[in-house]
Amino acid sequence: YNKGLYADAQQQLMQAKRETSSTDKTMLANIDFYDIMCAVRLKQPNAETLAKQFLENYPGSGRKSQVILAVAFSNFDKENYNEAVKWFADVNQNDLNESEQGEFAFKYGYSLLKTDKSDRASEMLALVKDSEKSRYSNAATFYYAHIAYEQQKYAAALMHFEKVKDIPEFADIVPFYLLQIAFYQKEYDKVVEEGQKIYKNAS
């Protein structure tokens, strides 16, 4: 499993399950947990069913949040944002390590944005946008700014777009937001000056 050989790991797990006493709940829970993780990573169609069975069979498991999070991330990767939101909502953030918390906050926030829950999305993105350790902070900042822009909170949008305007991932789109904000704020000289630069490079 740790080497990423998930199909092989599943075979070994099933062998271990056959050889484990039905009374050894701790071992069975561990086997089922890794089986679910393998199923998720292999994108097997029964992964969610296995996860639901795990949550029913081991409601007090310390691995509960990891199972829920894995299925939530899987739905996120498949762009099933409505399903992702349902799973993310059941995650206990206190069970996550620092790395998981950043990924959780961004992907939950983005999923909420894609399902028209902008206010809640903004709250989740705010948890990671200022993090210096999370690789999701720039993306969270961009989408936080986008939500502020859509809500006509131009001062907040401007401040956050400025933070990511030089990030390659967003460098092509942020200038258009900044120009539009300047227009809404009636800074017409700035619109003309910056607009000409953008126009020269526009497709």
Side-chain angles (χ1 to χ4, degrees):
Y1 176 87
N2 289 335
K3 292 178 180 178
L5 305 174
Y6 302 121
D8 290 343
Q10 266 192 327
Q11 292 181 8
Q12 297 296 319
L13 287 163
M14 291 305 95
Q15 178 65 28
K17 192 167 188 175
R18 287 191 291 270
E19 296 173 359
T20 300
S21 167
S22 60
T23 60
D24 192 346
K25 298 296 183 184
T26 300
M27 179 62 76
L28 291 172
N30 284 330
I31 292 170
D32 286 346
F33 168 76
Y34 281 107
D35 184 34
I36 293 165
M37 295 296 106
C38 289
V40 168
R41 283 159 175 76
L42 292 169
K43 296 180 171 55
Q44 293 175 340
N46 67 333
E48 282 198 33
T49 300
L50 292 174
K52 289 175 181 176
Q53 290 174 350
F54 181 92
L55 297 174
E56 289 176 7
N57 294 337
Y58 313 105
S61 172
R63 298 183 186 273
K64 179 178 177 180
S65 286
Q66 287 178 277
V67 169
I68 296 171
L69 195 64
V71 177
F73 285 162
S74 175
N75 277 293
F76 178 90
D77 292 341
K78 292 184 284 189
E79 300 183 4
N80 294 336
Y81 298 117
N82 281 304
E83 278 299 306
V85 165
K86 293 176 186 176
W87 284 90
F88 279 129
D90 287 334
V91 173
N92 183 345
Q93 294 181 61
N94 295 325
D95 291 341
L96 308 181
N97 61 39
E98 190 173 13
S99 174
E100 290 171 333
Q101 286 181 356
E103 186 175 6
F104 162 78
F106 171 71
K107 291 185 176 180
Y108 189 11
Y110 185 85
S111 298
L112 288 163
L113 174 61
K114 297 295 282 186
T115 53
D116 299 319
K117 300 176 180 69
S118 294
D119 287 339
R120 183 74 179 116
S122 189
E123 291 174 13
M124 294 308 304
L125 294 170
L127 297 177
V128 67
K129 67 182 178 65
D130 297 320
S131 171
E132 295 180 358
K133 296 181 179 179
S134 176
R135 64 190 182 97
Y136 295 95
S137 60
N138 288 330
T141 299
F142 174 81
Y143 288 109
Y144 184 90
H146 168 79
I147 293 170
Y149 172 86
E150 291 291 329
Q151 295 177 339
Q152 299 180 14
K153 299 175 181 176
Y154 298 125
L158 181 62
M159 181 176 72
H160 287 87
F161 278 133
E162 286 284 353
K163 292 179 179 179
V164 294
K165 68 179 182 180
D166 296 322
I167 303 298
E169 187 179 352
F170 309 111
D172 290 339
I173 186 66
V174 167
F176 290 94
Y177 280 103
L178 297 178
L179 193 70
Q180 194 68 43
I181 291 170
F183 179 80
Y184 287 143
Q185 294 179 332
K186 299 183 179 180
E187 298 176 2
Y188 299 125
D189 289 339
K190 183 176 182 179
V191 172
V192 171
E193 182 182 351
E194 296 299 322
Q196 290 183 60
K197 297 175 187 176
I198 294 174
Y199 182 74
K200 289 177 182 178
N201 298 316
S203 62

